[in-house]
Amino acid sequence: MKKQKRDLQHRAYIRGYRAGMAGRSKGLSDQFSGQARPDWLAGWREGREDMWSGFTSVEGTHKAANFLN
């Protein structure tokens, strides 16, 4: 089984980061429950900060891919 399938926290962070970069609402975190929700919110916050700082989605995706690796 691939690592990305097992690591729910990392997947939640990446999805939150992408949502933040896209300017989506924080309310989307409801799709994750338990331990993955704080990771999604952390990714969302960092994605919003990077969006405001002028990062492009490609630069942000590379940055988010290195999280927890």
Side-chain angles (χ1 to χ4, degrees):
M1 183 176 257
K2 294 183 179 181
K3 181 181 176 184
Q4 74 182 60
K5 293 289 184 178
R6 293 189 309 248
D7 194 357
L8 182 60
Q9 283 83 19
H10 186 256
R11 280 185 17 219
Y13 178 86
I14 295 295
R15 288 184 182 182
Y17 186 88
R18 289 179 184 158
M21 284 291 288
R24 294 198 177 111
S25 170
K26 184 168 58 170
L28 293 173
S29 68
D30 295 337
Q31 64 188 351
F32 290 96
S33 61
Q35 294 176 337
R37 188 166 191 260
D39 293 315
W40 191 96
L41 288 170
W44 181 84
R45 277 188 227 98
E46 190 165 340
R48 294 296 286 180
E49 288 175 11
D50 287 350
M51 184 185 81
W52 293 328
S53 297
F55 278 91
T56 64
S57 60
V58 174
E59 292 169 331
T61 302
H62 288 291
K63 179 180 176 183
N66 292 327
F67 176 76
L68 289 178
N69 286 335

